[in-house]
Amino acid sequence: MSRCNRDSVAIQHSILNRFSGDDRAALHETLAEFESALSAALEEDDGGETYRDVFWRYHERVSDALDEAVRATGWSLLEEVIDAYDPTADDELPLVTPTIANAVGRNLIRTRVTESVEAIPVSALEYLDGVAVTASDTADTTQEEVHAYGWGIGHPDHSVADRLHARVSEDIFSVTPTLEHAFYADQYAAVDLLEALVKDESIDGTFSRPARDDMPSRRYLLDSVYGLKTDDHWPGMPRYYDWHEEFDDTFELDDTVEQRIRDLVEEIGFDADLPNDWTFRDLGV
C-alpha cells in the first residue's frame, strides 16, 4: 500500500472511529493526518488526480468534524487550529487551509447570527483575510471558502470594508461574492461599501467573457446583489453548510437600500444595457 493510501485509511479511521466533539487531541491529529495525506498525494505523478481524490473524499468529513468540535468547545479550539496552520507563515498555504476556512466561515456566520459582530474573534477575520490575500489565483476552492469573511463587516476591531477595498483591484472575483455575504450580515454597511467601490474610478480593470464584450470590474461588483430580492438564491459558501436553513433565516431588502442600489446603477451608467424594467437579477454576470 502506498504512503498516500495508508494516510487516507488513517484519516478515515480518525474521523469514523476515534473522533468525538470534545476530543481536541483527536481533532488536531485528524488535521495533521489530512495534511500529510494531501502532501503525499501531491507527490503522485498523475496530474493532481490523486490529490483531488483525497481532498474531495475528506474535505466535507473533516470540515464537519472541525465544526462539531468548535460547537462543543467554543472558538478557543478553532483559534488553536488557526495558529497552528497560519496562512501567512510560509510561501505556500497549508494544504488543509480550505477545510479550516470552511469551519471558520461556518462559525463566523453562526456567531454573527446568534450573538453579534463584536463576538467574532478578530483572529478569525484575520485568518480568512490572510487566506484570501495569500492564496494563488488558481486556488479556486481555497478562495471560495473564505467568502463568509463578509459576515464580519462592521466589526469594531477589524475593518472588513477597508480590507476588501484595499484588495478589490487585484482580487475582484473574491471580493464580489464576499460582498454578497456582507449584505446578509448588515445590508446598510454593505451598500455603503458597494457605493464606495463602484464609484472608485481607480478600479479600472476589465475581464473577458466568452463570446461577449469585456466587462468592467466595477460592473462585476453589482453581481453581489443578484439574489437580494428573491427567496430562492443564497450564497453557496461555505460548502456543506446552509446557514439560512439552520436558523430558518429570512432576508428582506430595505426599500431605501434597494433605491440606493438602483440610483448607483443609473448614476454610473450601468443601466444602459439593461431592460427598462430591469431587476436585480439582470445585474448578475
Side-chain angles (χ1 to χ4, degrees):
M1 182 182 291
S2 71
R3 175 190 168 194
C4 181
N5 287 335
R6 287 197 307 271
D7 286 348
S8 297
V9 171
I11 291 173
Q12 185 176 30
H13 180 67
S14 293
I15 295 172
L16 299 181
N17 299 315
R18 291 192 294 105
F19 182 77
S20 63
D22 58 354
D23 189 341
R24 290 182 179 234
L27 186 281
H28 283 291
E29 187 175 349
T30 296
L31 285 171
E33 289 171 351
F34 193 23
E35 179 78 16
S36 177
L38 290 170
S39 179
L42 275 181
E43 297 176 5
E44 300 291 326
D45 187 17
D46 58 4
E49 181 178 351
T50 300
Y51 174 84
R52 289 188 294 272
D53 177 64
V54 173
F55 178 82
W56 289 113
R57 187 181 304 173
Y58 296 107
H59 178 46
E60 180 176 5
R61 297 186 191 184
V62 180
S63 297
D64 286 347
L66 183 51
D67 185 45
E68 176 189 348
V70 176
R71 297 187 74 171
T73 63
W75 271 106
S76 62
L77 172 59
L78 201 48
E79 289 179 293
E80 289 177 12
V81 171
I82 287 171
D83 185 62
Y85 295 90
D86 184 351
T88 64
D90 298 304
D91 293 337
E92 298 290 334
L93 288 172
L95 298 175
V96 294
T97 296
T99 304
I100 296 171
N102 177 284
V104 172
R106 297 192 204 192
N107 285 278
L108 195 157
I109 294 171
R110 189 177 291 123
T111 300
R112 176 84 188 230
V113 172
T114 62
E115 298 180 54
S116 66
V117 65
E118 293 84 2
I120 299 170
V122 170
S123 60
L125 296 171
E126 293 283 357
Y127 177 80
L128 292 183
D129 187 53
V131 171
V133 170
T134 308
S136 69
D137 292 340
T138 58
D140 294 342
T141 302
T142 303
Q143 290 282 9
E144 290 165 352
E145 293 289 11
V146 304
H147 294 168
Y149 176 67
W151 284 82
I153 195 166
H155 197 288
D157 300 315
H158 177 100
S159 179
V160 167
D162 288 349
R163 300 288 183 102
L164 292 178
H165 204 150
R167 59 180 166 91
V168 64
S169 293
E170 304 297 328
D171 202 14
I172 188 73
F173 296 110
S174 177
V175 169
T176 297
T178 301
L179 180 56
E180 178 186 16
H181 274 274
F183 270 98
Y184 293 94
D186 182 341
Q187 59 181 298
Y188 307 102
V191 76
D192 285 345
L193 177 57
L194 177 64
E195 288 176 338
L197 294 175
V198 173
K199 291 180 180 181
D200 185 348
E201 295 182 358
S202 70
I203 305 170
D204 58 359
T206 62
F207 67 93
S208 60
R209 299 180 295 169
R212 291 186 289 175
D213 293 339
D214 289 355
M215 174 172 282
S217 295
R218 289 190 294 154
R219 167 63 180 84
Y220 177 62
L221 288 163
L222 294 171
D223 188 65
S224 63
V225 306
Y226 171 85
L228 297 183
K229 290 286 290 179
T230 67
D231 57 6
D232 62 353
H233 175 85
W234 301 88
M237 299 296 155
R239 286 176 174 83
Y240 323 120
Y241 180 58
D242 294 322
W243 52 269
H244 52 94
E245 291 187 7
E246 177 176 333
F247 302 107
D248 192 23
D249 194 41
T250 59
F251 176 82
E252 183 174 350
L253 187 67
D254 188 278
D255 290 343
T256 61
V257 174
E258 177 180 358
Q259 191 59 51
R260 286 174 64 181
I261 295 170
R262 288 186 170 276
D263 291 345
L264 177 65
V265 172
E266 294 174 6
E267 177 184 344
I268 305 301
F270 288 146
D271 60 331
D273 296 325
L274 298 175
N276 291 333
D277 58 346
W278 63 270
T279 69
F280 280 13
R281 291 235 166 175
D282 293 308
L283 297 175
V285 176

